[in-house]
Amino acid sequence: MNAARTLCITAAGLIAVVDLAQERVEGDVTYITANNVYVRFASTANIALGDTLFVARSGGSSPCLIVGSKSSTSCVSTLIGGCTIVKSDRVYATTARIATLPLPVPQDTARAKVGTRERIRGRLSAASYSTVAAERGDDHRLMYRFALNADRIRNSRFSAETYVNYRQLFPSEPLLFPQQTEFFNVYSLALSYALDSTSTITFGRKINNNAASIGAIDGLQAEKTFGRFFAGAIAGSRPDIQDYGLDPSLLQYGGYLGSIIHSAKVDSRTTLGLMQQNNGAEVDRRYTYFQHSSTLGRKLNVFSSFELDLYDPQSGKARLTNLYFSSKYRFSRKLDVFVSYDSRRRIIFYDTYRNDVEMLLDDDEARQGARVRLTYKPFKHVLTGLSFSTRFQSNGLNPSDNINGFVTFTGTEDQWGRWTVQVNRNTSSYLRSDIASIRHGRTLIPRKLTCGIYYRMINYVYGLSGEDVSDRSKMQQQYYGADLSWNIGPSLQFTLLGEMSTLGTDRNYRFNTAITKRFAGRK
């Protein structure tokens, strides 16, 4: 069956079963590891596991992340193939308020207690991404995604979750440049059993909320709570670092302890754990990790994490590989400030990289970064923001500074819709880019049809380190785009994006389409 026919069958098979009212929840990318992207929100109450997060950059937005796990104010997500993410990117989730029809309850579970009732949430989507380029071959891709979370299946003690992704590439010259064109990835596939109200055992591939920095774990996980405290154990393997497939030889095991505080003024979760990762019988990595998130008085949000490697057969010393801290303080309904700092070193798997360990350790400079963002709402329909971020190595090399500002005007749909003007300057040792963009979006049919148009201009200046200004190379790129979102039914959505970019006399075109089916139910 060819890809076009598959896409049509997928679209035709989607049937609406629930009533959804779309809402938008915005957040920021705060931390990026080799396997995960961390996103901070004011609240994740309306975000479900498996939801897609859209990256909102100047000029438009695109689906780039899938939520794998979450806390009350942050999500741990995985990157969708073909997308690029940098720290401080603005993202949003399209959430839903669900009103479902009552479902029949089996007689043997009719007396189920509150909190043990079945809840099912899922999403099935098919998308196409096409680029028609002037100087190189055209590029076309199809992407199919399925995510499902089933809590307390048929009001039992079993729960399940899955997120799978199938990607098909259509290169312009497959005979001249042969390559793999089909990819199937399982990001999550796990079955859980609740021994009682405080104990859970999980088997399969799953990202643990209390050990999110570890990434996906293939194997067995167990957790038990003791009032305000909890403890967990992990035994299994980590996915193959090349294709994300199952590799039992990459053994990993460990445990963690933590505490939870829920009160009128404090909401926090803290975890401290120890992990060992092997490659066959040899030790690859042994480290301790810490993560903490808290909300104090509904004004201050704090998130912090670190990883401390304890296994270094060459020096015998501990090595801080990852450190991250962020804080957001809300002074009033109009003003809030966000600051963050991160420092990351290259993670070394001593047996996997046995022949390159010395070279990697010689280049073991910490990549550090700091960011501050100020958001201010001077008037009812006006929102402004200004941010500054800097990245550098511990030896002072490869610095990069970024300044970003925006103004958003939001009015009623019969007035002026939503307008956003944004400017950005990024400066490194060899390149400066200046971006200016304007975007307009509005609802054409309430709860049915929305659209947006945008224009973005980028000026590049290369060779900043040269003394002669005439030697610098300059280039300008412009983007013209429009997007459309159509709620075909209560839980069925179609999106379309078209864009033309110019670079000198070249004209490049991009077309994206997606059809998404959400489904949910309770008993």
Side-chain angles (χ1 to χ4, degrees):
M1 183 182 294
N2 60 38
R5 185 181 177 189
T6 303
L7 180 61
C8 292
I9 292 176
T10 303
L14 301 178
I15 304 174
V17 297
V18 297
D19 181 27
L20 287 148
Q22 303 292 328
E23 292 183 342
R24 177 164 162 160
V25 180
E26 296 187 346
D28 296 283
V29 175
T30 58
Y31 190 48
I32 301 175
T33 68
N35 299 315
N36 302 300
V37 178
Y38 295 75
V39 182
R40 186 77 170 181
F41 294 92
S43 172
T44 62
N46 293 324
I47 299 176
L49 301 184
D51 277 358
T52 299
L53 303 182
F54 295 78
V55 177
R57 295 194 178 100
S58 55
S61 61
S62 58
C64 270
L65 300 170
I66 298 296
V67 177
S69 62
K70 68 172 188 172
S71 66
S72 59
T73 58
S74 63
C75 292
V76 181
S77 55
T78 54
L79 193 65
I80 294 174
C83 288
T84 57
I85 290 288
V86 296
K87 198 173 76 66
S88 79
D89 269 346
R90 191 73 170 168
V91 305
Y92 69 88
T94 303
T95 64
R97 297 189 303 272
I98 305 174
T100 61
L101 296 175
L103 300 176
V105 179
Q107 292 298 319
D108 58 344
T109 59
R111 294 186 296 273
K113 296 181 180 179
V114 177
T116 62
R117 304 181 66 181
E118 179 184 84
R119 185 188 181 194
I120 297 177
R121 297 148 292 158
R123 175 182 293 179
L124 176 66
S125 69
S128 66
Y129 306 90
S130 297
T131 301
V132 180
E135 293 295 326
R136 60 182 186 275
D138 300 341
D139 176 69
H140 304 283
R141 290 175 293 146
L142 290 177
M143 184 86 73
Y144 305 92
R145 306 181 185 94
F146 175 67
L148 176 70
N149 282 277
D151 298 329
R152 298 290 187 171
I153 301 171
R154 296 186 65 84
N155 295 345
S156 70
R157 296 186 178 187
F158 287 97
S159 300
E161 69 173 67
T162 185
Y163 170 60
V164 296
N165 181 309
Y166 173 72
R167 178 164 47 108
Q168 190 172 9
L169 310 182
F170 299 89
S172 58
E173 298 179 339
L175 298 180
L176 185 60
F177 302 102
Q179 58 178 292
Q180 183 179 354
T181 58
E182 295 185 70
F183 303 85
F184 180 75
N185 294 113
V186 177
Y187 295 105
S188 173
L189 181 62
L191 180 67
S192 299
Y193 181 76
L195 299 173
D196 51 44
S197 60
T198 63
S199 305
T200 305
I201 295 178
T202 301
F203 180 77
R205 173 169 292 185
K206 180 181 174 64
I207 295 177
N208 192 313
N209 285 338
N210 293 313
S213 65
I214 297 175
I217 300 164
D218 295 329
L220 189 66
Q221 302 182 53
E223 183 172 295
K224 182 175 180 59
T225 59
F226 308 89
R228 289 171 43 189
F229 301 93
F230 59 87
I234 298 167
S237 61
R238 63 186 192 271
D240 185 273
I241 60 176
Q242 300 296 331
D243 59 13
Y244 211 68
L246 185 66
D247 190 343
S249 67
L250 299 179
L251 178 67
Q252 62 177 355
Y253 55 90
Y256 56 88
L257 299 172
S259 66
I260 304 173
I261 299 177
H262 289 300
S263 66
K265 294 184 177 181
V266 178
D267 186 356
S268 73
R269 178 182 291 264
T270 305
T271 306
L272 179 65
L274 181 66
M275 283 292 295
Q276 176 160 312
Q277 297 177 329
N278 284 24
N279 187 338
E282 302 296 329
V283 177
D284 237 2
R285 187 183 182 211
R286 184 182 296 137
Y287 68 101
T288 183
Y289 61 89
F290 169 88
Q291 65 183 44
H292 169 82
S293 63
S294 60
T295 301
L296 308 176
R298 298 185 179 180
K299 287 184 175 292
L300 178 63
N301 295 321
V302 176
F303 177 83
S304 61
S305 67
F306 71 76
E307 294 180 7
L308 184 68
D309 281 37
L310 306 174
Y311 178 76
D312 185 344
Q314 295 190 357
S315 68
K317 298 179 180 179
R319 177 170 166 267
L320 184 65
T321 46
N322 287 300
L323 172 65
Y324 179 79
F325 172 83
S326 69
S327 178
K328 180 179 179 180
Y329 187 78
R330 186 182 184 186
F331 289 92
S332 66
R333 296 180 61 182
K334 293 185 176 182
L335 178 65
D336 64 70
V337 175
F338 172 87
V339 296
S340 68
Y341 171 79
D342 74 275
S343 177
R344 287 179 288 169
R345 295 181 183 272
R346 187 194 308 269
I347 294 176
I348 297 177
F349 298 106
Y350 284 87
D351 191 68
T352 300
Y353 302 139
R354 181 181 304 168
N355 299 324
D356 302 313
V357 167
E358 290 186 4
M359 180 186 67
L360 294 174
L361 287 174
D362 287 341
D363 189 31
D364 192 29
E365 299 293 338
R367 277 70 172 174
Q368 303 176 73
R371 184 189 182 211
V372 59
R373 185 188 71 230
L374 177 71
T375 305
Y376 181 57
K377 189 174 184 179
F379 309 106
K380 181 179 180 180
H381 299 294
V382 179
L383 179 66
T384 64
L386 181 66
S387 66
F388 171 77
S389 61
T390 180
R391 295 199 63 80
F392 52 91
Q393 293 180 189
S394 55
N395 60 6
L397 298 178
N398 299 319
S400 175
D401 296 333
N402 192 86
I403 302 175
N404 182 276
F406 74 90
V407 179
T408 297
F409 304 89
T410 305
T412 58
E413 295 301 330
D414 57 354
Q415 290 179 321
W416 59 76
R418 180 186 179 95
W419 292 84
T420 298
V421 178
Q422 188 169 11
V423 294
N424 188 93
R425 166 169 285 190
N426 184 275
T427 306
S428 66
S429 58
Y430 63 92
L431 171 67
R432 187 186 74 212
S433 63
D434 295 307
I435 305 174
S437 69
I438 183 170
R439 175 179 174 83
H440 171 59
R442 67 184 310 113
T443 298
L444 301 180
I445 303 176
R447 294 192 177 185
K448 283 292 184 181
L449 191 64
T450 61
C451 71
I453 57 175
Y454 61 88
Y455 168 76
R456 181 168 74 251
M457 179 179 66
I458 308 177
N459 288 319
Y460 299 99
V461 180
Y462 294 89
L464 296 180
S465 58
E467 296 181 0
D468 190 350
V469 177
S470 62
D471 291 338
R472 297 179 181 177
S473 174
K474 299 181 180 180
M475 183 173 61
Q476 185 180 92
Q477 195 166 14
Q478 301 183 71
Y479 295 84
Y480 307 82
D483 55 70
L484 187 73
S485 179
W486 176 26
N487 292 326
I488 302 173
S491 59
L492 185 62
Q493 185 182 57
F494 175 77
T495 58
L496 172 67
L497 179 143
E499 179 185 88
M500 180 186 75
S501 64
T502 65
L503 182 62
T505 59
D506 294 342
R507 298 289 186 273
N508 301 311
Y509 301 90
R510 183 164 66 102
F511 303 96
N512 297 344
T513 64
I515 186 165
T516 303
K517 162 67 181 174
R518 293 174 182 263
F519 50 93
R522 291 178 183 270
K523 282 188 178 181

